[in-house]
Amino acid sequence: MKNNNQMTKLQLITFIIQTQIGVAFLSLPFDIHKFAKGDSWISLLITGVVMQVLVFFYFILSNRFPKQDLFQILQSLLGRFVGKCLTLFYFAYFLLTGSTILILFVYIIKKWMLPYTPYWVILMLMCAVGIYIAIENLTVIARFYFIATIVLLVFIFVTPMAIKDGNIHYIMPIGHSGIWKILNGATHATLAWQGLELFLIVSPFVTASSKEKLKAVTLANILVTLLYTFLTFVCLIYFSGDEIMLMPQPVLYLLKSFSFTIIERPDIVIISLWIILVGTSFISYLYGASLAASFVIKKWKRQPFVYLTALFCFAFALFFNGEQEIEKLTKFTTNIGFIFLLAMPVFLLLISLLFKKQQRGNLNAKNY
């Protein structure tokens, strides 16, 4: 591993957080409320617990292949041909998720900030930002994510202002939705946690022991879970159930209700900061897709695939600008996410344990 392609355990925490928190969390209370109503915050806690179990699975798998990334693990466990085929599937999944992020981003931006700006202009600007960072090595990306994490502090310190005007009776009695609806809400919250699978890609580049990596990813998962739960809880006690059903982005409506002496439209300021969070998520998927492509086609370096990946995401996003189309695509992406976020890593771990396979030789992760 090269020194310019490493990250520290602290940067690993911010990398996971920035990859997961992006376009979904503004509408998360609305999306989960459709299923779990006032118990949506419980659904998010359950999802966080499930994701922590998944973190342990990731840790065991990466510990058996400490110097290999996800694509090399696929090849080591399933052979060169099958491994490269599944790498292509991961490539397609990263493209799909990156495109979905772009589409949701443009939909919200046009609705809240730039209604008259052409659709393709906003797409092009975000793709340009994604390319600018994603072509750099992992160390540069990790440092940028660390700095960008400061943006989250704004949401953490501003949102509690709504608690004093909240009504706790909106979520009473706790558990009134029923266990099945709460669990249904938990399954639909998976999209907000997508990005955790990138740990298996960057793990060999982290300059820390295996236990320190586990602690770092666990802390990242706890922070993400608490942030999602807190934002949803505040929205639930601030708006009634009927009001939330009329607000596709409750977090923005919540922040818009605040008044400041020197800021007339705080929601515009918040959206400007939110763009940074969307950009980091998009960059992570550009990085993952370009890495997968360069693993399959070793004649090319990773950087040219960043341009091709961004171009594909741009072209794909042009075909989705209707609300119903976007809703169907988001649902499809969430369902596909179950396979690559949950099913595939668990399957790989079972194969590794059953056939007692682990890393042998000197096949180390690198920038392909």
Side-chain angles (χ1 to χ4, degrees):
M1 293 185 295
K2 297 179 180 180
N3 292 330
N4 64 351
N5 198 40
Q6 294 179 340
M7 65 167 66
T8 65
K9 60 182 178 181
L10 181 58
Q11 290 172 336
L12 174 62
I13 296 173
T14 56
F15 182 89
I16 297 298
I17 291 174
Q18 289 293 335
T19 302
Q20 290 182 310
I21 297 178
V23 71
F25 89 105
L26 290 183
S27 59
L28 190 60
F30 170 80
D31 295 332
I32 309 304
H33 187 272
K34 291 187 293 185
F35 304 96
K37 305 301 180 183
D39 295 317
S40 299
W41 62 278
I42 303 177
S43 297
L44 294 174
L45 288 176
I46 292 174
T47 306
V49 172
V50 172
M51 290 301 159
Q52 184 56 41
V53 175
L54 186 64
V55 166
F56 287 117
F57 288 158
Y58 282 11
F59 168 71
I60 298 172
L61 180 61
S62 64
N63 211 30
R64 296 180 69 84
F65 299 88
K67 295 182 180 180
Q68 294 183 6
D69 60 33
L70 174 61
F71 311 127
Q72 293 170 324
I73 293 174
L74 287 170
Q75 184 172 304
S76 298
L77 290 175
L78 304 174
R80 178 172 296 180
F81 177 75
V82 177
K84 287 195 173 184
C85 288
L86 289 177
T87 299
L88 287 176
F89 280 116
Y90 263 101
F91 171 72
Y93 162 68
F94 290 147
L95 286 181
L96 175 65
T97 308
S99 300
T100 304
I101 290 172
L102 278 182
I103 292 167
L104 292 172
F105 163 72
V106 177
Y107 173 75
I108 294 175
I109 286 294
K110 285 188 67 66
K111 183 177 181 180
W112 283 86
M113 182 181 284
L114 304 172
Y116 301 112
T117 303
Y119 190 87
W120 64 270
V121 172
I122 304 175
L123 281 177
M124 184 178 65
L125 291 174
M126 179 54 73
C127 287
V129 171
I131 292 172
Y132 181 75
I133 302 296
I135 60 174
E136 299 293 338
N137 57 62
L138 189 59
T139 300
V140 174
I141 296 174
R143 289 172 179 171
F144 173 71
Y145 283 14
F146 180 79
I147 297 174
T149 305
I150 299 174
V151 172
L152 290 174
L153 298 178
V154 177
F155 293 92
I156 294 173
F157 289 114
V158 173
T159 306
M161 295 174 58
I163 295 179
K164 60 182 177 64
D165 297 320
N167 187 348
I168 196 68
H169 295 289
Y170 287 154
I171 63 171
M172 294 295 179
I174 296 176
H176 68 277
S177 299
I179 185 63
W180 294 114
K181 290 185 178 180
I182 293 175
L183 292 177
N184 193 20
T187 58
H188 284 82
T190 307
L191 179 63
W193 268 267
Q194 283 182 234
L196 186 61
E197 66 276 13
L198 268 77
F199 166 70
L200 293 174
I201 293 179
V202 303
S203 177
F205 303 111
V206 180
T207 56
S209 65
S210 57
K211 290 184 179 180
E212 289 175 331
K213 293 179 188 178
L214 175 61
K215 291 178 181 178
V217 182
T218 297
L219 180 58
N221 181 60
I222 291 173
L223 293 175
V224 169
T225 301
L226 292 179
L227 178 61
Y228 285 156
T229 304
F230 176 70
L231 287 174
T232 301
F233 179 83
V234 173
C235 289
L236 289 173
I237 66 173
Y238 192 81
F239 302 112
S240 67
D242 293 334
E243 288 176 328
I244 289 184
M245 293 306 296
L246 300 175
M247 301 176 181
Q249 294 86 36
V251 176
L252 282 179
Y253 283 100
L254 175 70
L255 299 173
K256 186 179 180 180
S257 64
F258 298 155
S259 60
F260 299 94
T261 305
I262 60 175
I263 302 177
E264 184 177 355
R265 289 286 305 275
D267 55 307
I268 299 298
V269 177
I270 294 299
I271 289 177
S272 301
L273 297 175
W274 168 74
I275 291 173
I276 299 175
L277 301 179
V278 176
T280 54
S281 293
F282 180 59
I283 290 165
S284 293
Y285 285 103
L286 284 183
Y287 178 80
S290 62
L291 206 62
S294 62
F295 178 78
V296 176
I297 306 176
K298 298 187 185 304
K299 292 183 179 180
W300 287 18
K301 293 183 178 180
R302 185 184 65 84
Q303 283 74 12
F305 288 109
V306 174
Y307 292 95
L308 293 176
T309 300
L311 179 62
F312 177 89
C313 291
F314 173 82
F316 184 83
L318 290 175
F319 294 96
F320 292 86
N321 52 19
E323 188 171 345
Q324 292 184 346
E325 295 175 343
I326 294 174
E327 185 176 348
K328 290 179 181 179
L329 176 65
T330 304
K331 184 177 180 180
F332 178 74
T333 304
T334 302
N335 294 334
I336 294 296
F338 278 108
I339 299 175
F340 294 96
L341 176 65
L342 297 168
M344 185 63 72
V346 173
F347 170 74
L348 294 175
L349 178 59
L350 291 176
I351 292 294
S352 176
L353 294 175
L354 288 175
F355 294 95
K356 298 181 180 179
K357 290 188 176 183
Q358 58 187 47
Q359 182 175 339
R360 294 183 177 87
N362 296 317
L363 183 59
N364 296 339
K366 60 181 180 179
N367 260 349
Y368 304 109

